[in-house]
Structures are given as structure tokens and as C-alpha cells.
Amino acid sequence: MNPAFSVIFLTTLIGTGQGLFIAVVFGQPYSGSGTSNYGLVATILAFAFLAAGLFASFFHLGRPERAWRAVTEWRTSWLSREVIALPIAMILVLIYALLQWIPGLVDGKGMNIIGLAGVFVMLALFFCTGMIYACVKFLQEWATPWTIINYTVLGTASGFVLATALSAALDVARLGEFKGLAIAFTLIGLITRLFSFQRNNRIKYRSSIQTAVGIKHRKITQRSMGHTGGSFNTRAFFHHCSHKLISNLRLVVIVIVFVIPVAMLILYGYLPREEILWAAFIVQYIGLLAERWLFFAQANHPQNLYYQTVG
Amino acid sequence: MSKQLALVIDLNVCVGCHACVTSCKEWNTSGSAGALPDERPYGKDPSGTFFNRVQTFEVGEFPNVETVHFPKSCLHCEDPPCVPVCPTGASYKREEDGIVLVDYDKCIGCEYCSWACPYGAREIDTRQKVMKKCTLCVDRIYDPELPESERKPACVLACPTSARLFGDVNDPDSEVSVAIREEGGYQLMPEWGTNPANHYLPRRKQRITIHEDELIRADSPLKKEGVHPHGPVEDVTLDDVTSW
Ligand code: SF4
Ligand code: SF4
């Protein structure tokens, strides 16, 4: 597939926002001092990430003014379900922010209920996003539970790294927990992503040129795809990058999404400077953009079998 | 079984002339699916939206090769994976005749359906920014203004070798069903369970056995029926000039 930048930004931005919100709700019971406005700032930031993701998604649409129509087919379409889950998530985040801004509206138990409802919607949103890709069964690189697991774990990891940086800036008391979990989620992400890389290395494609044209001969060569100029089929489904670039990028992703951020988080224990944590978040986020690019570029669409030779 | 209109494409007779491509473009760019824009048609790097393409494949290795011309358009799958993924309901399959269509007024151009079609049958219209694909000429096959014989998709009418048949594949007595049944019609990528309505008829070798004595005219067909004599006949074969 040819990676679309709008979708890369959409999935990485909302992933970070979702992860950050989960981190905030998780951190709530630890907010003993009550003097810091950490929770409020982090919640608003989570909202900002979700909103930025939503904004990016509009660039993917040919007719953004009709985007509201996308809520109608929630019975069958995971994309429609995502389009519903995202605003619900954003509303819950706003309510959560409001409750922190005006304390005393609800008691601690009420906060926890709203918070947990938010976490539940965030997880549901991860699931919807993952299923958009995982449900297309002939995109065999995507049609696996790893897709959903990676979206969830990588988004959560990125959110927790951001939460760590934020807590260093605003409230040091909870830093330890966030940092520990940020490292843990990043390492889990490393394992799950390596598993999916490994799985995709070994895919046996069910479609071949033989099934595509229905001729059972071992040697079939395309002589013409029917047009010499490009078409939607050659633009949307081919990334035109070399295998070498892809395999190098894979290494880069492993290093900057997982290895460097974890190293920086550990380094912070010895050299407690806030900038290190911010840098860890930014490096990881850039890495996640590359990771998402790779996710698309690595998917082999069976329609490509029909577009091998210009002619 | 409900009606399912479809094309049956005979690879044995398609000569790869692209008449179906141009007639499709001509009809649909001027019809309800239009316009199908071309970008830089006479410039460098031209591009355009088409519903139908003819591709060419070479099967085998020289000198034992066959050239197969392979027209490809939306197959109007009976279980179309492109339909349930559409978030807006713009993509739908008609109950009454099984044609898969896009409602251009509802489509938001998210391209998700094009990912969900294993055959690459959908193209985004670069100007109108909505998804387009073969409509089986739904705007002409029911048109009462046209003579009965012309109520067929434009590609079917244009094909000079009659490589394209059109009809209801769920009616066992239709021309298309008989062709599928008797000529070994098959579906593309059966592994994904899409159950395409369009079928393809394979290349087939046709041979007839001719015996040597059949090569020589042994008798006048004008003569009355009888047992064929063996070998060439030197004798006169007409009784007299008026016998015929
Ligand atoms: S060929 Fe593609 S676009 Fe046409 S019905 Fe089948 S899946 Fe949908
Ligand atoms: S591009 Fe249009 S028809 Fe296709 S899935 Fe999106 S809204 Fe539906």
C-alpha cells in the first residue's frame, strides 16, 4: 500500500492521546498532594492530541464536508465505529477535564467512574482502529490480532512516555510509576512488534497471478496492464520504495521507537533533567510515524498482481 | 435465487482491441456516472478514471506461449467485501439485480472500499473526489427508450468478437449460465469467498478430426443420397446436364 500521511498522523496522534488519558486515569489515585494541576494539564493535552488526530483525518477524505455521514453504517463498518468512538472519547475527556477544573462537582468515586468509562472507550477506540485494518482479510499483513495489539500497546506506550515527561515538569511525586510503566509498555511493544514483523516475514500469500487471472500455468507474465500512464491502481497501492529501504527502516523503527526511548527513560534516573524525557517522547513519536509508514508500506494488496508491467 | 446480472468474458475470443474500454469510457463519461476525468490526456504522464481495462498476459515459455487478453472491471461480487466496510452506506448492492453501485451523493471519498476490493476494481474520481466503478451500465440496460437489443452494457455492444456476454447468472437457462456451465466458466481469486458474479471462459483448443477420404470430393452433393463410394471416382458424376 502507498502510505497516506493523513492516516499516519491520525492513528499516531490519537494513539498518544488515548495512552495519555489512560495514564492520567491510572495516576489519579496517586495524586495525594492535590497541589499540582498535573491531572488537568495532562487531560487537556490528551484532548488536544485526539482533536489533532481528528483534524488530520479530514485530509484523508475526498469530501470532508460529508464526513458526518460516516456514522451511519456502524452495524457493519469498523471505520464507522471508529468515527463514533472518537468523539465519544473526546467528550469523556472533556468532562474529565471539567471535573478536575471545578473540583467538588463529583466525589472521588464519581471521578473514578468517569475515568474508567473513558479508559474503556479508549480501549474500544484502539480496537476499532485496529479492526479497520485487521478485518480486510486479503491484506494478509494486516489480518491478524497483532494489528490490534500493536495499535493498543504502542499508543499506550507513547502516552505513558508523555505522561512521564509531563509529571517531571509539573509534579515529581508520581514520576516513578509513570516512568516504570512507560518502560514496561515500550518493551511490551518491542516484543509484540517484533512478533508481527516476524509473522509478516513468513506470510504465504493465498493469491497469486494464477488465481488472479484463473489460468493454471506455472509461468504467467504480464505484458501490459492496459495503460501506460498511471492510474488510481498504480498510485494508491504501490509505495515505489526499494526492499532495502524497507528493511533498513525496520531497524530504524526498532531503535528509535523502543531502544532509544527506554535508554533515555533509564538515563533520567541518573541524570534527572526534564529535557531528556521530552526528547524521549519526541524521538519515540517520530519513530511511531515511521512505524506506521512501514505498517502501510509492508501490506501487499492482491490487486498489485494485476499491475506488474506497464507494457 | 434472486437475479444477479453479470458479464461473462470469453478469453478464447478476446483479441485485446480495447473497444470495450473506449466504449465504456464514452458511455459512462457522458452518462449518470460521469464525468470520468482525464488528467493531462495529451501531456506528459497522462492519467484518467476508467471502469474497465484490458490487460495482456503471456502464458508459458517461448515457443510454447499463448497471449491472453484479459478485460477486467468490477465483478459485481455476490458477497462483495467492498460493501460492508463503507462507513456511509454509499456502496451498496442492489437487491433486485445484484449490481454493486456507489451513491456519488453519499460517498465521502475515504477510499476504504478500494482497499477492501481484492481485484482493484474501484477508482477514485480525481475531480469529483468520490469512488467510482463499473455500474454494468445501469443507466442503459433498463432504458425503455432504447430498442430491446441495445439494452445491454456499452462494452458488450462494442465487442467486435462477441467475447462479452451479459445476463442473469442465477437463471440456469440464461445464455451466460449455459456458457459458464458448458464452457468451463470460472471466477477470479476464489480463495477470498467473494463469489464474483462475472465469470471468465478459459482458452480452449478446438480440434476436428478429418480423415483422408474426406479431403477429396468423391461425389457431387447434388446427386441423390446414397452410400459413399470408396476412393476417387473417375466416372462422370452427372447423369446428364438436365438431371439437376
Ligand atoms: S469486484 Fe471489487 S468493487 Fe466489484 S463487487 Fe467485487 S469487491 Fe466490490
Ligand atoms: S470511498 Fe465512498 S464508497 Fe468507498 S468506503 Fe468511502 S464512503 Fe464508502
Side-chain angles (χ1 to χ4, degrees):
Chain A
M1 305 287 294
N2 195 6
F5 275 93
S6 47
V7 181
I8 292 177
F9 276 107
L10 160 69
T11 55
T12 51
L13 285 170
I14 64 171
T16 303
Q18 288 163 263
L20 181 57
F21 184 76
I22 293 172
V24 173
V25 175
F26 163 80
Q28 205 60 30
Y30 296 91
S31 55
S33 62
T35 51
S36 158
N37 55 0
Y38 168 80
L40 181 59
V41 173
T43 310
I44 291 172
L45 198 60
F47 182 82
F49 270 93
L50 293 172
L54 182 64
F55 181 71
S57 74
F58 281 98
F59 289 92
H60 183 66
L61 303 183
R63 294 292 197 120
E65 75 279 10
R66 299 177 182 167
W68 60 271
R69 287 190 182 273
V71 300
T72 52
E73 293 303 306
W74 53 272
R75 285 181 206 81
T76 59
S77 169
W78 284 102
L79 178 53
S80 187
R81 289 170 198 161
E82 186 194 41
V83 169
I84 294 169
L86 181 53
I88 293 178
M90 289 171 70
I91 290 168
L92 281 174
V93 174
L94 264 193
I95 294 175
Y96 201 70
L98 197 73
L99 294 180
Q100 291 177 87
W101 191 38
I102 314 169
L105 275 183
V106 288
D107 56 2
K109 210 166 137 214
M111 277 303 271
N112 281 344
I113 290 172
I114 302 273
L116 286 178
V119 170
F120 176 78
V121 174
M122 295 305 170
L123 292 176
L125 182 53
F126 274 130
F127 192 79
C128 291
T129 311
M131 276 309 283
I132 288 176
Y133 306 96
C135 78
V136 185
K137 60 184 171 185
F138 42 80
L139 274 162
Q140 286 176 267
E141 287 86 351
W142 293 353
T144 154
W146 291 115
T147 302
I148 302 154
I149 293 170
N150 283 324
Y151 269 91
T152 310
V153 176
L154 296 182
T156 310
S158 156
F160 269 85
V161 174
L162 181 56
T164 314
L166 263 183
S167 61
L170 296 171
D171 180 359
V172 186
R174 272 167 284 159
L175 185 78
E177 285 85 7
F178 284 136
K179 196 178 78 178
L181 282 169
I183 293 175
F185 278 119
T186 307
L187 290 178
I188 294 172
L190 174 63
I191 294 166
T192 58
R193 196 63 178 108
L194 283 179
F195 262 109
S196 72
F197 277 144
Q198 183 60 10
R199 171 193 178 270
N200 289 352
N201 269 344
R202 294 204 245 154
I203 279 184
K204 239 181 104 193
Y205 291 107
R206 289 177 66 190
S207 289
S208 61
I209 188 72
Q210 281 77 14
T211 69
V213 297
I215 297 172
K216 289 174 191 49
H217 193 290
R218 252 186 291 146
K219 186 146 184 349
I220 301 178
T221 329
Q222 186 167 42
R223 287 292 170 222
S224 157
M225 61 169 76
H227 49 83
T228 45
S231 67
F232 176 73
N233 302 76
T234 58
R235 285 192 295 272
F237 299 94
F238 292 90
H239 52 73
H240 302 292
C241 294
S242 67
H243 274 295
K244 192 142 177 274
L245 181 106
I246 300 277
S247 57
N248 286 344
L249 193 63
R250 206 186 261 210
L251 266 179
V252 171
V253 161
I254 290 168
V255 172
I256 65 177
V257 174
F258 306 107
V259 180
I260 293 182
V262 168
M264 285 171 118
L265 288 170
I266 293 171
L267 176 70
Y268 180 79
Y270 302 95
L271 183 69
R273 292 186 52 141
E274 203 187 311
E275 299 81 43
I276 294 181
L277 296 178
W278 288 111
F281 169 71
I282 291 166
V283 168
Q284 189 179 47
Y285 183 75
I286 293 170
L288 283 174
L289 292 178
E291 188 272 339
R292 219 39 54 89
W293 189 92
L294 206 54
F295 172 78
F296 284 98
Q298 279 201 307
N300 247 313
H301 200 288
Q303 79 104 36
N304 294 4
L305 292 166
Y306 295 108
Y307 297 90
Q308 297 296 324
T309 319
V310 173
Chain B
M1 250 193 284
S2 58
K3 191 169 164 188
Q4 172 66 63
L5 294 180
L7 297 171
V8 169
I9 297 167
D10 193 344
L11 300 181
N12 202 39
V13 292
C14 174
V15 290
C17 70
H18 293 246
C20 52
V21 179
T22 51
S23 63
C24 166
K25 177 88 172 185
E26 187 274 332
W27 175 264
N28 285 299
T29 202
S30 356
S32 61
L36 304 180
D38 286 322
E39 306 291 343
R40 307 169 297 281
Y42 303 105
K44 208 170 143 249
D45 190 23
S47 177
T49 313
F50 285 77
F51 291 169
N52 179 32
R53 301 280 197 183
V54 178
Q55 307 190 317
T56 302
F57 294 88
E58 194 176 276
V59 181
E61 218 159 340
F62 183 81
N64 294 317
V65 279
E66 278 208 43
T67 304
V68 177
H69 300 293
F70 180 84
K72 177 170 82 76
S73 54
C74 169
L75 308 168
H76 299 278
C77 301
E78 299 215 36
D79 196 356
C82 56
V83 169
V85 300
C86 174
T88 63
S91 275
Y92 63 105
K93 186 171 177 68
R94 284 165 42 122
E95 289 280 336
E96 62 269 37
D97 54 15
I99 300 181
V100 176
L101 289 177
V102 180
D103 183 336
Y104 306 132
D105 294 330
K106 278 191 191 164
C107 174
I108 55 172
C110 68
E111 300 185 12
Y112 192 22
C113 54
S114 70
W115 298 1
C117 166
Y119 309 99
R122 293 173 165 250
E123 295 192 23
I124 200 106
D125 179 326
T126 44
R127 301 248 178 100
Q128 231 174 306
K129 307 275 187 210
V130 294
M131 198 50 80
K132 297 203 169 168
K133 61 178 267 313
C134 161
T135 66
L136 266 187
C137 285
V138 70
D139 52 351
R140 74 170 290 148
I141 56 176
Y142 295 112
D143 189 351
E145 310 257 292
L146 292 172
E148 184 85 50
S149 61
E150 280 178 35
R151 288 180 214 162
K152 284 179 179 177
C155 57
V156 175
L157 295 170
C159 180
T161 60
S162 302
R164 307 174 74 95
L165 311 176
F166 169 66
D168 178 5
V169 288
N170 282 349
D171 167 8
D173 299 323
S174 69
E175 184 192 17
V176 283
S177 297
V178 171
I180 292 167
R181 200 163 56 230
E182 296 184 354
E183 311 290 345
Y186 63 85
Q187 298 171 317
L188 304 183
M189 291 189 195
E191 61 272 24
W192 302 118
T194 56
N195 199 5
N198 283 13
H199 282 65
Y200 287 77
L201 305 183
R203 295 298 290 258
R204 32 209 195 280
K205 293 265 188 266
Q206 275 149 349
R207 288 201 172 86
I208 46 169
T209 314
I210 299 177
H211 299 291
E212 213 173 322
D213 59 343
E214 288 168 322
L215 288 170
I216 298 148
R217 179 145 166 184
D219 200 359
S220 165
L222 298 173
K223 222 175 157 190
K224 74 169 189 243
E225 294 272 275
V227 184
H228 281 215
H230 293 287
V233 181
E234 258 83 66
D235 218 358
V236 285
T237 54
L238 290 182
D239 292 343
D240 70 59
V241 281
T242 59
S243 68
W244 50 279

